[in-house]
Amino acid sequence: MPWSQKVPYLLGKPVGVSFTNGQGTSGILCSVHGGQVYLMEYLYHTQFATKHYPVNQIQDIHMFPGCHVPSPPLFHTQPLPARR
């Protein structure tokens, strides 16, 4: 299926994007309009940025797969102890 047909199902979801030059990136697919694909990408610490890429440079867009959770989980979700 061409990536453009996947867009309605992928909006607002984490995706991997492969470019025609062999590189790639990942982020949340925000929108596709005006010949651009807009992704919210993580930069550093608490910084995020919306970046845009021309549609003619996109080879494919893939939804992230689900996580395989080992049984029992390696990490338990518990509140952190209070700092003194």
Side-chain angles (χ1 to χ4, degrees), residues 3 17 19 24-26 32-33 35-39 41 50-58:
W3 68 264
V17 178
F19 298 111
T25 190
S26 61
V32 178
H33 67 274
Q36 302 281 315
V37 172
Y38 291 83
L39 290 175
E41 297 181 15
T50 301
K51 296 186 179 181
H52 57 97
Y53 303 95
V55 295
N56 66 351
Q57 293 180 7
I58 307 295

Side-chain angles (χ1 to χ4, degrees), residues 1 3 7 10 15-16 20 24 26 31 34 36 38 43-44 46-47 51 54 56 60-62 64 70-71 78 81 83:
M1 170 186 302
W3 68 264
V7 167
L10 299 177
V15 297
T20 55
S26 61
S31 68
Q36 302 281 315
Y38 291 83
L43 299 177
Y44 172 76
T46 59
Q47 299 175 8
K51 296 186 179 181
N56 66 351
D60 209 348
I61 300 178
H62 300 278
F64 268 56
S71 186
Q78 298 176 2
R83 288 189 154 188

